[in-house]
Amino acid sequence: DAGITQSPRHKVTETGTPVTLRCHQTENHRYMYWYRQDPGHGLRLIHYSYGVKDTDKGEVSDGYSVSRSKTEDFLLTLESATSSQTSVYFCAISETRDRGTGELFFGEGSRLTVL
Amino acid sequence: AQSVTQLDSQVPVFEEAPVELRCNYSSSVSVYLFWYVQYPNQGLQLLLKYLSGSTLVESINGFEAEFNKSQTSFHLRKPSVHISDTAEYFCAVSDRGYSTLTFGKGTMLLVSP
């Protein structure tokens, strides 16, 4: 199994509070991704990173920010959580996006509930 | 832009029956295609992929998928399913690795005895 650790695995918070989810990898992969999974929507990309301090937006980036100060860590922050951000969040990594196999390795997910 | 349509949100089958999970994609360029599987309370893992070459690709646990360019499809099949195949299956597309993966909404395969 790819070495990907997400924390926390479960979190319940209140509307308006800040939340940070952490993804830590031990594979030294260049690309890291944050997805959210919701019933009826499948997986949707929030943000991704293609190197330290290099990030870009996905299709559902509003309300989220990310940071990557080290190769192994990719943080997802909800500055002011809303109930619509209740979801399961998955971190994924890949060795290369361009002309590579395209295979993503996923963490086990972080379940966030915003009351 | 690319997109993926999984035509069935849920597919119930009996053990040892054949199954087909349908996937259609749209893209203006050549693509890479993938099937991922998600077992309960776990992350996704790659089941099989089409990059180039033979249009029929197989997984180690008996699934296969065929890339059909004219019909823009990448349907997943298994001739005889097991209870342990119960999971959610996601089809995904990439424009030859130059973009991030776009996932379909998933098909829940429910295998009963």
Side-chain angles (χ1 to χ4, degrees):
Chain A
D1 291 343
I4 307 169
T5 305
Q6 292 186 228
S7 59
R9 294 290 314 281
H10 301 272
K11 186 172 181 65
V12 179
T13 191
E14 294 188 349
T15 297
T17 60
V19 175
T20 296
L21 305 180
R22 179 181 183 240
C23 178
H24 178 79
Q25 61 146 329
T26 58
E27 305 297 321
N28 201 35
H29 280 10
R30 180 181 175 189
Y31 291 90
M32 300 186 75
Y33 308 81
W34 277 108
Y35 286 88
R36 61 178 288 174
Q37 183 178 22
D38 304 288
H41 292 276
L43 273 81
R44 293 179 291 175
L45 182 64
I46 305 171
H47 283 280
Y48 66 98
S49 169
Y50 46 96
V52 173
K53 298 190 188 303
D54 294 321
T55 64
D56 205 350
K57 296 179 179 180
E59 65 175 299
V60 290
S61 60
D62 287 348
Y64 302 95
S65 62
V66 291
S67 65
R68 191 169 178 197
S69 59
K70 298 185 291 185
T71 298
E72 58 266 35
D73 290 325
F74 191 34
L75 303 181
L76 176 70
T77 297
L78 292 65
E79 299 290 348
S80 178
T82 67
S83 59
S84 65
Q85 294 175 310
T86 292
S87 186
V88 181
Y89 292 85
F90 285 98
C91 174
I93 65 175
S94 67
E95 175 62 31
T96 176
R97 191 189 75 193
D98 300 337
R99 294 182 293 280
T101 65
E103 180 174 2
L104 297 180
F105 299 92
F106 284 83
E108 296 196 340
S110 294
R111 183 175 295 275
L112 175 66
T113 301
V114 183
L115 301 177
Chain B
Q2 58 205 24
S3 66
V4 177
T5 302
Q6 291 185 244
L7 297 167
D8 304 295
S9 60
Q10 204 171 94
V11 174
V13 293
F14 290 108
E15 194 174 18
E16 298 183 6
V19 70
E20 178 180 83
L21 306 183
R22 297 179 291 170
C23 172
N24 288 91
Y25 70 91
S26 67
S27 175
S28 58
V29 298
S30 297
V31 297
Y32 291 159
L33 292 159
F34 308 83
W35 277 99
Y36 282 80
V37 58
Q38 183 181 32
Y39 298 103
N41 299 312
Q42 295 185 23
L44 281 73
Q45 54 188 282
L46 182 68
L47 185 61
L48 47 76
K49 62 191 176 190
Y50 168 78
L51 303 180
S52 64
S54 172
T55 57
L56 184 65
V57 291
E58 299 178 351
S59 72
I60 59 173
N61 58 351
F63 282 94
E64 64 179 32
E66 185 162 19
F67 170 54
N68 187 318
K69 187 175 181 180
S70 63
Q71 297 187 3
T72 60
S73 67
F74 191 55
H75 301 332
L76 182 69
R77 302 184 183 94
K78 189 171 185 180
S80 176
V81 295
H82 303 288
I83 296 287
S84 60
D85 292 324
T86 293
E88 191 155 22
Y89 293 80
F90 293 91
C91 183
V93 63
S94 163
D95 59 349
R96 294 247 164 207
Y98 288 95
S99 70
T100 56
L101 288 188
T102 297
F103 286 86
K105 294 182 178 181
T107 297
M108 187 67 204
L109 176 62
L110 298 168
V111 183
S112 54

